[in-house]
Amino acid sequence: MRIQEVIEQKLKDLNPDVLQVENESHKHHVPPNSETHFKVTLVSEAFEGFTQVKRHQRIYGMLSDELAGPVHALALHLYTPSEWDARGKARPESPNCMGAGQ
């Protein structure tokens, strides 16, 4: 199973309203078809009452095996449904890595 699929499967345990796992490895200086850099957008009621730090810690715990191995970078955008609506259902764009294309 691809790393992206593993991440998606694990995060489904949070019963997300929105779950987007994007492989952004191609934006970095890594071999083609790498799975090392990911961006996660997750909207879930499970985050109600939790600070951003606690939300991140929860995801890091769920993905500890992947973070200890193949995943080098993980951008997390974690929202409650009301926060997501207030943002206009948009998450920040990722910048290009300065080492990409070298």
Side-chain angles (χ1 to χ4, degrees):
M1 186 180 303
R2 293 181 15 225
I3 301 301
Q4 182 170 343
E5 292 168 341
V6 171
I7 292 171
E8 290 168 347
Q9 285 298 328
K10 288 185 175 187
L11 295 180
K12 284 181 182 177
D13 286 349
L14 294 172
N15 298 316
D17 295 341
V18 175
L19 175 58
Q20 296 173 329
V21 178
E22 301 170 63
N23 182 350
E24 295 189 327
S25 301
H26 65 279
K27 294 182 177 186
H28 301 272
H29 188 60
V30 297
N33 302 315
S34 291
E35 288 192 289
T36 56
H37 295 71
F38 290 92
K39 176 180 188 173
V40 172
T41 303
L42 198 154
V43 179
S44 175
E45 289 183 12
F47 295 138
E48 291 286 351
F50 290 92
T51 65
Q52 283 293 331
V53 170
K54 292 294 184 189
R55 296 174 192 185
H56 280 73
Q57 289 172 338
R58 184 167 185 184
I59 301 301
Y60 295 152
M62 294 175 77
L63 302 178
S64 61
D65 291 339
E66 292 71 31
L67 291 167
V71 176
H72 170 74
L74 185 64
L76 297 175
H77 303 285
L78 311 173
Y79 308 104
T80 64
S82 61
E83 291 168 342
W84 182 243
D85 288 343
R87 292 186 57 81
K89 299 184 179 184
R91 49 56 174 158
E93 291 298 320
S94 298
N96 285 324
C97 174
M98 294 189 65
Q102 288 184 356

